[in-house]
Every structure is written in C-alpha cells, then in structure tokens.
Amino acid sequence: MTTSNSSKSRTGKVSLPPPLEVRRLPVALESDHSKVVTRPFLPDAARIQRLFRRIERLDDNEVEEVLAAVLKDYGHRHKNLERIFEENWRTGCHNAGWGTDSTESRRLLAGAYLTMEYAVESAAVFNPSIVPHPDQSSAAAGEQRFLMSLRATGEGHLSSVVFRTGTLTADHRMILDPAPQHVRRTRIDPNREYLKTVFHNKLSEMGVTGPIVQDVISRLGETFAIDELLAAVTDANRHRGNHAGEKSDLETIEWLARSNYQIKLDDDADISELVIFPMGEADAHGIEDLRLVQFVEDDGTICYYGTYSSYNGVHTLPTLFSTTDFHHLGFASLNGACSINKGMALFPRRINGHYVMCARIDGENLYIMYSDYVHFWETAERIQLPRSPWEMYQMGNCGSPIETPHGWLLLTHGVGPVRTYSISAILLDLENPRKAIGRLRQPLVVTSGDEREGYVPNVVYTCGAMIHGDELIIPYALADKSVRINAVKLEPLIERLLSNRMTP
C-alpha cells in the first residue's frame, strides 16, 4: 500500500501537518497495595500433616484465642473469610490424606495457616481497556457510565485483571467511582459443561488424535461436565491397559478441559470488586492484556467479550471470555490455525453475518480474520505492515476497532528504535475491513520526558478506547507502571485519517 497525498517541501522532504490536539484528563491510576485477595498456601502433604499435628496439640482456649486474633486482624480485609479458611482446610485435608473430624475452630485455624494474602497491584497497574458500563441507569443526560479493565501485577510479576468504574460527563470530565473496599478472587464453577464437538475439534487441531482420544470421546455425551470427562479418561485408560505413549494424550485432554471454565462473582458484589485471577495451568504465570469489547448481535442483544493471552511461563494461549453482566463469565480457548500469538481484538458486531477479528499472528504485522464461530479462526489476511520509523520493528492493534460513519477506527501501536512504543491509528472500510483506507503519518501518543521511566521504559500502550460525545477517550499505560487518560476530538482525527488515504 502507498499513501496518496504525500506533500513535499522545496527541499524535497515530506512535510507533515501539525500534530493533532490531544487533551490530557486530570486522572491518574496508580497501583494500590491495599488491594489484596486470598490464595491457598499449600505445602506438600507431609508438611501439612506436621502442621495439623501441631494444631492438635494446642488446648481449646489457645485455639480460640489465636483464631479470634486472626479474624480480628484480617476479617475486615476480605468477604467471607471464615468460608475461605474452611475451603483451604478441606483442600489441605484432601492433599494430605487427613481425616476431617475436627471442631469448627480447629478447622478454621488450620485453614488460616493454609491461606495467604496476595496484593494484586503491588507492582503496577497498566494496559487498560474501556467500554460502556452494562448498567447505564444512573447516567444523566449527556453522561455515559464506563467500565475499565486494568492489567495488575503483583509478587512474581503474576498478572491478573482488575476493574474500575466511573462516569464520563456531559462537559467532558471523567469521574472515577471510589475504589472498592474489597476485591474478590472468583472461583471456578464446578458445574461447567463442554460441547463434545468443539472439544474434539480442538484436540485435533493440537495434534492429539491417538486411539485413546477416540476412546475417551466415545464415552461422552454431546455435552458433558468435567467430572464426566475425568471418569471417561479413567475408564479409557483402564480399558486400554495404560498403553505406552498414551499418558501424554490423557494429560493434554485434562489440561484442555481445565483451561475452559466458568466463574461467578457474588450477586451482592460490585463489578469493581471483580478480580480475574489465574485459574489453571494455561494461565499459571498470568493473564495478559485483556481487550474488552461491547458486542451487539444482529438482533440488538448485547454481550461483552474479552480477548487476552494466557501465559503458562513458556507459551501463550489466546483466550476469550463472554458475559452479559460481569457476574457470570465463561472462559474458553480460541481455536484454529490463526489463533496464535498475542493481541487478538474482536470487532464489536458481525460484518455481513461473520465475526471479524484483528490480530497479529506473525508477531509483526496486522491481520484481519473472519469466522462463523467466535471460538474458531482458521484463515487470516494481512492488511498492514510497519512502514513509519516509529513502528518499523513491529506493529499491532490497541484494542477492538470502533465504528464511525466513515470507517472502522483502529488504534495501533508501533515499536521503534530503543524499543520505544507509540500509539497511532488507521481507518478501515466499514463493509470490507480488510481494506485500509487511511492512516496517521504521526502517532497520537508517544513517550516523553520522565514519563519514559518505569517498570518497562519507553512504553505507552492501550488495550481499548471508546467514544463519548464528540471525543475519543484513550486510557493508556505509561512504562507498564500506571495509567493516564487522553481525549482527542473525533472529527479532526477522522479528517486527518481521510486526508492520508491509502491505495493498494
């Protein structure tokens, strides 16, 4: 592709228009060390047994005294702390082969020793994405409620997702709601179900097609729960006599099932209390760079999708969640030959009956993908490659495209010299988003001055923006440590994009 309206000065150099006016909102989001969730703190079986024996030797008064002190110190920091202690005690008993005959106080105290606090934002908050809030009932005329996701990192650089809410006012201010007093680490719903056809297809894509796979699949109904799958695995293994080389296939079957799940936030909780924490092997080392989108179906129904990268310490697995209310969320791996690499961003509606995704499947260029199924992506077409000095190393999307009357507005990021990131934009054709029709010749957001400094220097990055009134609201991360908000008038931005039209 080439630009169609480059102008040159008398010296022969390309002349650039003045930068677009970008307004910095007086809002800053920094890490909050007081946001803590509980995690199981489970050693090996022998050590759990030794711990339980020590607790058994305590007299009843000492047990009550120590437990009361723990609940006094930590009860106000967590909802349902006693329930958490009970759950962790039961897990400890299961892992250690320990009997469950004990008084309530001793159970709770033992569970307290098997519990730890984790500060989800102790290192940083960054890489935000923003969408309209699912509940606009409290918004006045000209206002819009919003929901913002943030990548939060704590001890060990373990990434999770946290949320903030607020209001965009009629006079172009952003008002954040007060931070929640508690945050809640959700749990996997044990009653989740799977579709056999989808599950089997994913195993085939992964090359897991041995005879024992067929044996397991044949024992399942068209829908099945994880307990039914585990029973089928056990039966197939017993039936085949544990043939050599089949252990790996069985382990992959179980791993895939545990990577697809549902979670539930308590009904009385605010969305801002939700923490999406690593749940299994696929995301054991973090949930990275969530891109939210408010998706409108052809019949007008609305749901929210989030695409992100699950990281297990070695590999990334593109993952998607869906929800209508952010209290019940379903998670599933993204499948297909083109469900690879990072940065998959779903368009906010179907185009000509198809789901459409923007991605960077080769780690370097922008691609558009079409599919009839939101979880499967088989083919991709390259639409943009790095061309400007500030993006020549690689480029990618900065969240889901935004629909305007003139085209799909897609924010992009580019990586230039010294691994310096910039945020820019391109415009895609409404009916055929594989066609790029305009681009900026200068980035919208760049690093400068002391804002270069942070956990990852020289980086500005966003995972999603939204339109409010006549402005584009762009939350973005500075140096992977904190978040700022910029606003740019939409009309001048579109004019600038259209003035730099692109031709094949």
Side-chain angles (χ1 to χ4, degrees):
M1 295 183 178
T2 60
T3 58
S4 61
N5 69 334
S6 298
S7 59
K8 294 186 178 182
S9 66
R10 294 177 182 176
T11 62
K13 295 181 179 180
V14 175
S15 61
L16 296 176
L20 285 164
E21 182 180 351
V22 177
R23 182 170 63 94
R24 170 74 67 87
L25 276 62
V27 176
L29 290 168
E30 307 285 347
S31 58
D32 181 355
H33 295 190
S34 70
K35 284 187 178 179
V36 291
V37 296
T38 61
R39 296 181 66 188
F41 186 47
L42 297 168
D44 59 64
R47 188 168 176 180
I48 292 174
Q49 292 174 2
R50 293 195 297 270
L51 171 65
F52 285 179
R53 292 191 186 99
R54 295 182 192 122
I55 294 172
E56 280 187 337
R57 290 194 289 268
L58 298 175
D59 63 49
D60 290 344
N61 289 337
E62 194 169 7
V63 168
E64 296 291 346
E65 181 180 334
V66 176
L67 178 60
V70 171
L71 294 175
K72 179 181 178 182
D73 288 343
Y74 297 96
H76 67 285
R77 293 165 65 87
H78 306 279
K79 294 280 189 178
N80 303 315
L81 186 59
E82 293 185 17
R83 185 183 71 183
I84 294 168
F85 288 165
E86 183 87 22
E87 290 174 354
N88 289 342
W89 170 76
R90 290 189 181 279
T91 302
C93 289
H94 178 268
N95 291 356
W98 192 267
T100 57
D101 183 18
S102 185
T103 66
E104 180 182 18
S105 294
R106 290 181 186 272
R107 295 198 306 268
L108 294 178
L109 182 59
Y113 282 102
L114 299 179
T115 302
M116 63 176 286
E117 286 189 328
Y118 184 86
V120 294
E121 298 181 8
S122 61
V125 288
F126 54 111
N127 293 4
S129 185
I130 188 171
V131 292
H133 195 288
D135 182 4
Q136 296 289 331
S137 60
S138 63
E143 292 184 345
Q144 188 171 195
R145 296 278 293 156
F146 68 83
L147 174 66
M148 186 188 302
S149 66
L150 300 154
R151 179 176 169 184
T153 58
E155 178 185 355
H157 198 70
L158 183 63
S159 294
S160 56
V161 180
V162 298
F163 296 88
R164 293 295 302 271
T165 59
T167 300
L168 293 165
T169 69
D171 58 353
H172 301 295
R173 292 178 295 124
M174 172 181 276
I175 301 175
L176 287 171
D177 293 335
Q181 183 179 0
H182 303 94
V183 289
R184 309 194 191 196
R185 177 173 175 257
T186 52
R187 292 165 175 78
I188 293 177
D189 183 348
N191 299 317
R192 60 195 186 276
E193 288 193 338
Y194 304 85
L195 293 173
K196 180 165 73 172
T197 302
V198 173
F199 191 83
H200 194 191
N201 286 345
K202 182 59 178 177
L203 288 171
S204 298
E205 290 171 6
M206 297 169 66
V208 183
T209 58
I212 199 165
V213 174
Q214 304 304 320
D215 198 337
V216 170
I217 294 297
S218 70
R219 298 171 187 272
L220 299 170
E222 291 306 309
T223 62
F224 59 90
I226 191 166
D227 288 345
E228 294 172 310
L229 174 67
L230 296 179
V233 167
T234 300
D235 291 344
N237 194 30
R238 185 185 302 116
H239 173 72
R240 295 186 58 76
N242 195 19
H243 285 201
E246 295 185 335
K247 180 180 179 182
S248 176
D249 285 349
L250 294 178
E251 289 176 346
T252 301
I253 290 173
E254 291 191 31
W255 171 84
L256 180 62
R258 297 186 191 281
S259 299
N260 295 258
Y261 54 87
Q262 290 93 40
I263 63 174
K264 181 180 184 298
L265 179 67
D266 292 341
D267 292 337
D268 64 341
D270 187 80
I271 294 176
S272 61
E273 297 179 48
L274 173 64
V275 176
I276 302 177
F277 201 80
M279 296 282 185
E281 294 179 15
D283 56 18
H285 284 251
I287 295 170
E288 299 184 353
D289 300 344
L290 173 66
R291 287 157 162 79
L292 285 177
V293 63
Q294 183 189 60
F295 190 91
V296 182
E297 277 288 4
D298 291 342
D299 63 2
T301 58
I302 293 175
C303 70
Y304 292 82
Y305 287 111
T307 51
Y308 64 90
S309 299
S310 296
Y311 181 54
N312 68 0
V314 179
H315 302 292
T316 58
L317 178 70
T319 307
L320 177 141
F321 79 71
S322 60
T323 182
T324 58
D325 59 4
F326 287 88
H327 280 75
H328 300 81
L329 299 90
F331 293 75
S333 58
L334 286 169
N335 314 303
C338 292
S339 295
I340 55 177
N341 215 287
K342 296 182 176 183
M344 299 182 71
L346 188 67
F347 279 63
R349 64 170 174 86
R350 297 175 191 253
I351 300 177
N352 299 320
H354 307 288
Y355 292 102
V356 185
M357 187 88 77
C358 180
R360 189 183 64 198
I361 64 175
D362 60 2
E364 189 173 351
N365 307 289
L366 279 180
Y367 289 78
I368 292 292
M369 304 187 290
Y370 280 72
S371 177
D372 291 333
Y373 305 97
V374 74
H375 294 101
F376 287 87
W377 302 90
E378 296 290 352
T379 60
E381 180 176 334
R382 191 178 72 180
I383 64 162
Q384 190 78 357
L385 66 163
R387 59 198 307 166
S388 297
W390 40 270
E391 63 182 5
M392 282 186 174
Y393 185 84
Q394 69 183 40
M395 67 182 305
N397 69 67
C398 278
S400 293
I402 299 169
E403 187 169 8
T404 77
H406 303 282
W408 294 103
L409 175 59
L410 177 66
L411 294 183
T412 65
H413 67 266
V415 181
V418 199
R419 198 186 177 224
T420 297
Y421 277 63
S422 303
I423 297 173
S424 187
I426 61 175
L427 196 65
L428 309 176
D429 185 82
L430 278 177
E431 293 302 313
N432 179 17
R434 289 170 291 198
K435 178 183 177 183
I437 58 177
R439 69 188 300 271
L440 294 182
R441 291 158 59 193
Q442 297 167 284
L444 275 172
V445 184
V446 297
T447 60
S448 62
D450 59 4
E451 291 185 346
R452 294 180 180 274
E453 313 303 333
Y455 189 74
V456 182
N458 306 318
V459 171
V460 288
Y461 198 89
T462 181
C463 290
M466 67 179 281
I467 291 174
H468 175 61
D470 61 353
E471 288 190 324
L472 179 68
I473 307 300
I474 309 172
Y476 64 99
L478 285 175
D480 280 10
K481 64 175 181 178
S482 59
V483 171
R484 300 295 185 269
I485 316 293
N486 279 356
V488 59
K489 292 293 184 182
L490 191 59
E491 184 176 347
L493 173 59
I494 296 297
E495 288 178 356
R496 187 66 61 88
L497 286 160
L498 292 175
S499 72
N500 196 37
R501 285 189 173 274
M502 305 178 69
T503 58

